[in-house]
């Protein structure tokens, strides 16, 4: 498995796109008594985020109204959460999700891990910049107040964006050295030198890490996952293991997250919404393929059995046919 795969979205830009027509159709769907939810789903789930921003601008300029405000006043619950998510520029949406994960009592470590550990350097820089603009507070500083120990140090290193540039070629000799450093810091000694783990896993590019993990297996006969499981625990383990999974195959990581969100009693709707909204224009088709391979059922059928009403319809529209 390689970190390099061809990302296949389920939502692509509409052809023959006319923002004025869409704005008028959305206004009609919300005007008067009752709301035509299906019309809202049909339009917004078949447009790219960039096109939705243009519809919002047309709605304001031509109809003198705030589209997001109108949608919020007409919709409710989880259906509203998905639609408002679709209307938010992707990086702003991720920043809002990070803020929600840390706001109030308790911290949603799983959301922090899922968002922060799956980004490359450029994406991470953009998220950090946008977060500070939106909340007038550095993301790294906010994360520091909500986390502790090695988990905190790892996330801080990821946010401050010192990961090697993905355009730089991976260095096989360095990978051999880094694999040995990981072995010496973990399995080869009593106790674990966690700093070596977070320095390498937060600094090396994904293509470099892929080589490191291959070298680790050659050197020790064990996978890096086996080593992490034996040496590390808690949120720090979850975060390192998320990086490993995203290096090897991001769709696999997200498919597993979606399965867990729907497994057992109750549904983790926040995770379900976040992954489907954020990955629809990136690699949701790859995630669907992985999901089916891993769990022997389609993502669409799993979501259908866990959700209902307009909420179900909007998620299924984003996921697309089998």
């Amino acid at each position: 498995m390689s970190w390099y795969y061809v990302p296949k979205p389920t939502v692509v830009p509409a052809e023959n796109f006319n923002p004025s027509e869409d704005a008028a159709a959305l206004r009609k769907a919300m005007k008067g008594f009752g709301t035509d939810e299906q019309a809202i789903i049909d339009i917004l789930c078949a447009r790219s985020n960039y096109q939705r921003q243009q519809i919002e601008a047309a709605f304001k300029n031509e109809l003198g109204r705030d589209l997001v405000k109108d949608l919020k006043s007409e919709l409710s619950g989880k259906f509203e959460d998905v639609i408002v998510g679709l209307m938010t520029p992707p990086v702003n949406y991720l920043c809002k999700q990070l803020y929600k994960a840390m706001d109030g009592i308790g911290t949603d470590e799983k959301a922090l891990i899922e968002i922060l550990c799956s980004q490359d350097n450029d994406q991470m820089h953009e998220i950090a910049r946008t977060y500070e603009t939106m909340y007038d507070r550095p993301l790294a500083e906010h994360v520091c107040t909500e986390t502790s120990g090695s988990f905190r140090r790892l996330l801080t290193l990821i946010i401050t964006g010192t990961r090697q540039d993905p355009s730089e070629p991976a260095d096989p000799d360095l990978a051999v050295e880094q694999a040995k450093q990981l072995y010496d810091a973990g399995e080869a000694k009593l106790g674990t030198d966690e700093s070596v783990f977070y320095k390498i896993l937060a600094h090396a590019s994904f293509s470099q890490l892929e080589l490191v993990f291959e070298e680790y297996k050659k050197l020790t006969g064990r996978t890096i996952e086996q080593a992490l499981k034996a040496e590390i625990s808690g949120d720090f383990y979850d975060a390192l293991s998320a990086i490993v999974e995203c290096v090897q195959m991001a769709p696999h990581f997200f498919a597993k997250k979606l399965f867990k969100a729907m497994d057992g009693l109750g549904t983790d709707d926040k995770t379900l919404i976040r992954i489907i909204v954020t990955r629809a224009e990136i690699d949701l088709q790859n995630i669907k393929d992985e999901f089916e391979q891993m769990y022997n059922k389609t993502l669409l059928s799993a979501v259908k059995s866990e959700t209902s009403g307009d909420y179900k319809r909007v998620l299924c529209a984003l996921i697309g046919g089998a």
Side-chain angles (χ1 to χ4, degrees):
M1 285 236 167
S2 163
W3 68 278
Y4 181 74
Y5 63 101
V6 179
K8 295 179 192 154
T10 56
V11 174
V12 295
E15 290 176 27
N16 310 318
F17 169 62
N18 184 327
S20 302
E21 274 176 22
D22 285 348
L26 286 169
R27 176 75 184 117
K28 189 178 165 208
M30 295 185 279
K31 204 175 177 181
F33 188 69
T35 306
D36 184 350
E37 287 89 356
Q38 193 58 52
I40 294 171
I41 292 171
D42 290 345
I43 296 168
L44 296 180
C45 294
R47 307 289 183 269
S48 68
N49 192 283
Y50 178 66
Q51 290 177 329
R52 291 182 212 122
Q53 306 307 319
Q54 291 174 281
I55 297 169
E56 190 176 354
F59 204 84
K60 194 160 200 75
N61 298 337
E62 292 159 33
L63 305 169
R65 300 181 66 91
D66 183 324
L67 176 55
V68 174
K69 213 178 246 177
D70 279 8
L71 287 165
K72 280 180 169 174
S73 70
E74 293 292 327
L75 314 176
S76 62
K78 297 187 279 273
F79 177 48
E80 180 192 338
D81 292 342
V82 178
I83 294 292
V84 172
L86 292 176
M87 291 305 304
T88 311
V91 71
N92 298 49
Y93 181 76
L94 287 175
C95 289
K96 279 184 178 175
Q97 296 294 312
L98 287 167
Y99 183 80
K100 276 184 192 164
M102 297 185 283
D103 191 33
I105 294 167
T107 305
D108 182 351
E109 286 88 3
K110 285 188 175 65
L112 292 182
I113 291 168
E114 177 207 306
I115 297 169
L116 298 174
C117 295
S118 59
Q119 308 298 332
D120 70 24
N121 224 14
D122 292 346
Q123 293 164 324
M124 197 60 254
H125 278 159
E126 199 187 344
I127 290 169
R129 270 199 310 272
T130 308
Y131 193 91
E132 191 159 355
T133 306
M134 285 170 72
Y135 299 108
D136 201 22
R137 155 173 216 190
L139 175 59
E141 182 260 324
H142 196 175
V143 167
C144 272
T145 62
E146 295 292 327
T147 53
S148 60
S150 296
F151 179 53
R152 167 162 69 189
R153 283 192 285 278
L154 175 70
L155 294 188
T156 309
L157 280 176
I158 290 171
I159 294 163
T160 47
T162 45
R163 205 179 273 292
Q164 183 189 342
D165 187 336
S167 63
E168 280 178 35
D171 180 339
D173 295 338
L174 179 62
V176 174
E177 203 178 301
Q178 288 170 319
K180 174 117 177 43
Q181 285 170 359
L182 288 173
Y183 175 67
D184 290 344
E187 293 188 272
K189 68 196 280 286
L190 204 63
T192 308
D193 182 352
E194 294 182 343
S195 68
V196 175
F197 280 85
Y198 58 72
K199 276 179 187 150
I200 293 174
L201 274 89
H203 284 136
S205 67
F206 280 14
S207 52
Q208 180 68 23
L209 285 174
E210 195 188 9
L211 285 185
V212 174
F213 301 157
E214 281 168 17
E215 290 301 334
Y216 193 91
K217 188 143 197 256
K218 280 185 209 162
L219 177 71
T220 66
R222 281 155 68 90
T223 65
I224 190 75
E225 291 95 327
Q226 289 169 321
L228 289 175
K229 222 176 190 121
E231 294 293 323
I232 287 160
S233 61
D235 293 327
F236 185 46
Y237 165 74
D238 291 340
L240 289 178
S241 128
I243 294 172
V244 171
E245 287 186 25
C246 287
V247 164
Q248 292 174 334
M249 189 63 157
H252 181 92
F253 169 73
F254 287 110
K256 201 162 98 180
K257 286 263 178 202
L258 286 169
F259 180 78
K260 281 186 177 161
M262 297 184 280
D263 194 30
L265 270 177
T267 306
D268 176 357
D269 294 292
K270 282 193 297 193
T271 300
L272 195 58
I273 293 170
R274 184 174 57 241
I275 294 176
I276 291 173
V277 166
T278 55
R279 306 308 293 191
E281 284 184 61
I282 303 173
D283 56 0
L284 191 52
Q285 184 60 51
N286 310 75
I287 294 168
K288 280 162 62 176
D289 297 343
E290 277 294 305
F291 190 96
E292 192 168 355
Q293 223 171 353
M294 288 161 74
Y295 303 110
N296 212 12
K297 59 179 168 184
T298 65
L299 177 58
L300 196 63
S301 66
V303 168
K304 273 182 177 166
S305 66
E306 290 291 321
T307 56
S308 61
D310 294 319
Y311 174 46
K312 170 164 90 174
R313 279 193 283 278
V314 74
L315 289 183
C316 291
L318 292 169
I319 293 166

